[in-house]
C-alpha cells in the first residue's frame, strides 16, 4: 500500500504533523539528515521542497530558502540521488513539492520513475492545472502508485472541491488562506468559517491544513478541523537559525506546546 494511504488509514484518532523544508537549504548535503531527524522526532510525513527560481505560492521565508538551495547547487537529479541513499532508513511518507516547470523539464514519466526509486510516495505541484492533472499527470502517477496531492483554498468553488475529492487519493491539502505561505499568529473568523464549510461537505479524502501554522493556537485549530497540520515557514526559519535539524525540531515542538 502507498505509504500516504497507509498513514491515514492507520492513524485512528491521532492527529498528524507534516513538516516542509527546502532540499539544499541551509546546506546542499543536509537533506537526508533533516528527514531522518524529523522521523526521530515523531513527524508523521515529510514534504520536501524542490527549489525553483519563481515560486509563486511561496512567501519570503521559503523563497529565500529556495534561492539558497539553488546557489548551493541543488537540482532535482541531485535530490533524487540523496533520497535513494537513505531510502531504506526512511519509514514515513515523503512528498515532493515542486512547480510544474521543473517536473515537465525533467519529464513526468522520468519524475515518477525516480520518485519510486527514491522512496517518494507522492507529489504536490501547486501550479498544475486540474485538466492537465487528469489528462497527463494522473495516468502516469497511477501506474507508479504515486499520489498527486491537490490544494484547495477559501476561494476554491464547491464544484472544484468535489472534483478534486473524486479524482484524487491520499489527502487534500487545505490551504488556510488564499495568500502566500508564511507564519500567522491565529486564524480569524473567516478562516474558521472556511474550515467549518469544508467539514460540512463530508469529503471522501482526509484533509491536512497548511499555510500559517506557527504556534499552539493555529496548530490546535488545524487539528480541530482536519486530520492534521502542515508546517513550513516556521520550521524553515528555525532550521536556518539553528543550522541543525534536531535543534530546530526541538525548538519547533516547544513553540507548538507553549500557550
Amino acid at each position: 500500500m502507498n505509504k500516504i494511504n497507509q498513514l491515514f488509514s492507520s492513524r485512528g484518532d491521532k492527529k498528524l504533523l507534516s513538516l516542509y523544508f527546502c532540499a539544499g537549504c541551509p546546506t546542499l548535503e543536509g537533506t537526508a539528515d533533516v528527514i531522518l531527524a524529523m522521523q526521530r522526532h515523531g513527524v508523521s510525513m515529510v514534504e520536501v521542497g524542490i527549489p525553483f527560481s519563481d515560486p509563486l505560492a511561496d512567501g519570503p521565508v521559503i523563497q529565500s530558502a529556495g534561492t539558497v538551495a539553488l546557489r548551493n547547487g541543488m537540482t532535482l537529479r541531485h535530490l533524487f540521488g540523496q533520497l535513494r541513499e537513505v531510502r531504506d532508513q526512511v519509514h514515513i511518507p515523503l512528498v515532493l513539492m515542486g512547480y510544474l516547470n521543473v517536473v515537465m523539464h525533467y519529464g513526468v514519466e522520468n519524475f515518477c520513475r525516480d520518485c519510486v526509486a527514491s522512496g517518494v510516495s507522492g507529489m504536490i505541484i501547486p501550479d498544475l492545472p486540474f485538466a492537465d492533472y487528469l489528462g497527463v499527470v494522473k495516468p502516469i502517477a497511477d501506474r507508479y502508485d504515486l499520489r498527486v496531492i491537490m490544494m484547495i483554498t477559501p476561494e476554491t468553488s464547491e464544484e472544484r472541491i468535489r472534483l478534486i475529492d473524486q479524482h484524487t487519493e491520499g489527502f487534500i491539502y487545505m490551504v488556510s488562506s488564499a495568500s502566500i505561505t508564511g507564519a500567522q499568529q491565529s486564524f480569524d473568523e473567516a478562516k474558521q468559517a472556511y474550515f467549518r464549510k469544508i467539514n460540512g461537505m463530508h469529503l471522501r479524502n482526509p484533509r491536512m491544513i497548511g499555510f500559517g501554522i506557527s504556534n499552539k493556537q493555529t496548530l490546535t485549530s488545524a487539528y480541530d478541523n482536519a486530520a492534521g497540520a502542515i508546517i513550513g515557514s516556521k520550521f524553515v526559519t528555525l532550521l536556518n537559525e539553528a543550522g541543525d535539524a534536531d535543534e530546530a525540531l526541538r525548538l519547533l515542538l516547544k513553540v507548538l506546546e507553549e500557550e
Side-chain angles (χ1 to χ4, degrees):
M1 180 187 290
N2 179 283
K3 284 184 181 179
I4 295 172
N5 294 83
Q6 189 174 19
L7 173 67
F8 284 93
S9 65
S10 64
R11 73 180 182 90
D13 295 328
K14 178 186 176 183
K15 295 299 182 177
L16 306 177
L17 178 62
S18 178
L19 297 185
Y20 167 96
F21 77 104
C22 182
C25 180
T27 65
L28 177 62
E29 301 302 340
T31 302
D33 289 340
V34 175
I35 293 170
L36 293 173
M38 288 183 181
Q39 183 170 267
R40 286 195 300 272
H41 285 264
V43 172
S44 308
M45 180 166 54
V46 179
E47 194 177 302
V48 184
I50 305 166
F52 181 52
S53 57
D54 191 22
L56 299 176
D58 296 330
V61 170
I62 293 177
Q63 281 192 26
S64 177
T67 299
V68 170
L70 290 172
R71 287 176 180 167
N72 285 343
M74 178 54 72
T75 65
L76 182 53
R77 193 171 303 280
H78 191 67
L79 171 58
F80 278 132
Q82 291 178 327
L83 296 177
R84 278 195 296 271
E85 289 182 1
V86 293
R87 171 180 178 162
D88 293 340
Q89 301 174 55
V90 178
H91 310 298
I92 57 179
L94 298 181
V95 178
L96 290 189
M97 182 170 185
Y99 288 86
L100 183 59
N101 183 280
V102 177
V103 176
M104 295 301 289
H105 186 264
Y106 198 84
V108 177
E109 184 92 32
N110 291 335
F111 182 79
C112 290
R113 183 186 300 114
D114 283 351
C115 278
V116 172
S118 306
V120 172
S121 299
M123 66 195 80
I124 301 169
I125 308 174
D127 57 342
L128 174 63
F130 194 67
D132 291 342
Y133 160 68
L134 287 177
V136 179
V137 177
K138 184 179 188 298
I140 299 173
D142 285 351
R143 286 207 309 271
Y144 288 91
D145 194 31
L146 292 167
R147 303 294 171 259
V148 182
I149 308 304
M150 303 297 287
M151 292 175 153
I152 63 172
T153 78
E155 296 181 352
T156 307
S157 69
E158 183 169 335
E159 179 184 13
R160 183 179 176 87
I161 293 171
R162 296 285 185 195
L163 279 173
I164 288 172
D165 191 44
Q166 180 183 352
H167 293 286
T168 62
E169 298 287 341
F171 69 96
I172 292 174
Y173 193 132
M174 192 170 159
V175 177
S176 68
S177 67
S179 63
I180 58 175
T181 59
Q184 299 176 32
Q185 291 304 306
S186 63
F187 290 142
D188 60 22
E189 176 53 33
K191 293 183 179 66
Q192 297 289 344
Y194 159 58
F195 297 160
R196 290 193 296 271
K197 171 191 170 185
I198 302 302
N199 283 334
M201 292 179 68
H202 304 291
L203 300 176
R204 180 175 61 89
N205 280 296
R207 285 103 52 218
M208 296 284 284
I209 295 178
F211 284 46
I213 298 170
S214 63
N215 55 23
K216 185 175 182 178
Q217 184 174 357
T218 48
L219 180 69
T220 299
S221 182
Y223 280 175
D224 287 344
N225 290 282
I230 300 169
I231 298 178
S233 295
K234 185 65 177 181
F235 176 70
V236 171
T237 296
L238 293 171
L239 181 60
N240 287 336
E241 290 174 353
D244 175 80
D246 282 299
E247 177 63 10
L249 285 158
R250 188 189 67 79
L251 292 170
L252 177 66
L253 295 175
K254 180 181 178 183
V255 167
L256 295 177
E257 293 173 354
E258 293 175 344
E259 293 292 347

